[in-house]
Amino acid sequence: MIGPRTAVVLIAALVVGVLTYALHSLHTVRQDKNYGVSGVSASDLAMSGEAKGSDMGGSGLEFPTGTSGRFVLVDTEYTTWEGAHARHWSGPGEAREAVQIAAIKVAPAIGGIGYREIGAWSTLVKPKQNPKLSEYFTKLTEITQDQVDTMGVEFEDAIDKLKDFSEDGALPMWHYGKNDKEVLEETAQVQKMTDFDVNSTFAGGMHNIRPIFGRCGLRPWKWTSGSIHRAVGVDMGGHVHNALFDVRSMLATL
């Protein structure tokens, strides 16, 4: 039969064990939030829809923030039509041309936990192959034809501004999924910018953040860049599919 003193000792040991486990779990979550992704398996990436060919494939990769700790979150909105996504933009004359590019510059938060926005940039871009926006696109993004006609810039100028914003392309740039990098490349191809190379223009690299969110258990395949903040219980006012809102959604998730 266990005496009162022995029972107290056993209860104390149990409490210490529970607290130790809880602190270890918290530390593990914080490591995930700092985006060390060593140990991500191929099955983890497959679950997130970003398996073979992802720029975050393999193990031992760290979340690159540059020597300054700063990095850029970038997002695009691009020409689309009803059903275009399902048919992979294979309809007559369809192509993914950038119509909006937005980015925020991010640095470690004061105190070292999390990140903070230290700069923002956004521009509208005039598409060439399909200069008339579809009603579907305008309904999705709330970007109007008049806005693009009056405030839009040439794609080449937008790329120059994005390069300047990312400190001559040196800062690592993170986007949600593979589309944004591909959209820049496809827009350049459609507009016959034969001298454009995304990897040399942005030497800091363009990286897919979705597998990292997947590593944190957020199931990014369920969310868009503009809704991923809901996965961590954050409430934001704004319009999903506005590129500037969408990059801030990603920051809120970090």
Side-chain angles (χ1 to χ4, degrees):
M1 185 173 179
I2 299 175
R5 181 174 297 179
T6 303
V8 169
V9 171
L10 289 175
I11 292 171
L14 179 62
V15 169
V16 169
V18 170
L19 288 175
T20 300
Y21 178 82
L23 289 172
H24 172 74
S25 299
L26 178 60
H27 178 65
T28 300
V29 170
R30 284 182 175 173
Q31 283 184 325
D32 285 349
K33 284 291 186 181
N34 287 329
Y35 308 109
V37 295
S38 57
V40 177
S41 67
S43 61
D44 289 334
L45 294 181
M47 284 285 290
S48 68
E50 301 295 341
K52 191 174 181 180
S54 168
D55 62 357
M56 290 301 294
S59 61
L61 296 172
E62 296 297 326
F63 186 71
T65 59
T67 56
S68 65
R70 299 191 301 275
F71 59 96
V72 170
L73 295 171
V74 63
D75 192 78
T76 62
E77 301 300 330
Y78 43 89
T79 51
T80 191
W81 300 261
E82 189 166 4
H85 184 272
R87 59 180 174 265
H88 304 289
W89 282 263
S90 61
E94 292 181 352
R96 295 181 300 178
E97 281 187 274
V99 180
Q100 183 191 19
I101 306 174
I104 57 175
K105 194 178 299 183
V106 177
I110 304 299
I113 299 177
Y115 299 96
R116 60 194 170 97
E117 179 181 326
I118 59 172
W121 170 82
S122 178
T123 190
L124 296 176
V125 182
K126 294 178 179 178
K128 293 288 185 65
Q129 182 163 309
N130 293 284
K132 181 174 174 55
L133 304 176
S134 70
E135 291 182 8
Y136 177 81
F137 172 86
T138 295
K139 184 176 180 180
L140 182 71
T141 65
E142 296 188 351
I143 297 172
T144 68
Q145 186 71 53
D146 182 64
Q147 288 173 328
V148 172
D149 290 343
T150 58
M151 296 184 289
V153 302
E154 299 297 321
F155 176 68
E156 187 172 3
D157 294 335
I159 289 296
D160 288 342
K161 293 293 186 183
L162 179 58
K163 184 177 181 181
D164 289 343
F165 182 77
S166 59
E167 300 183 12
D168 200 32
L171 293 183
M173 293 204 299
W174 288 84
H175 50 91
Y176 193 85
K178 300 177 182 178
N179 282 349
D180 299 290
K181 182 178 180 180
E182 292 175 351
V183 163
L184 297 186
E185 294 173 325
E186 190 169 335
T187 304
Q189 182 180 9
V190 166
Q191 299 193 11
K192 297 180 171 54
M193 286 177 54
T194 56
D195 58 343
F196 174 73
D197 177 75
V198 69
N199 295 316
S200 59
T201 301
F202 303 109
M206 294 191 69
H207 310 275
N208 181 1
I209 202 170
R210 278 188 65 185
I212 296 180
F213 285 149
R215 175 69 176 85
C216 297
L218 300 184
R219 299 185 177 186
W221 58 92
K222 294 178 60 177
W223 310 97
T224 66
S225 58
S227 62
I228 185 65
H229 61 277
R230 298 175 192 163
V232 293
V234 174
D235 185 23
M236 293 177 61
H239 182 71
V240 177
H241 291 300
N242 175 294
L244 188 56
F245 175 84
D246 291 354
V247 289
R248 285 174 171 152
S249 167
M250 288 190 279
L251 176 59
T253 310
L254 297 181

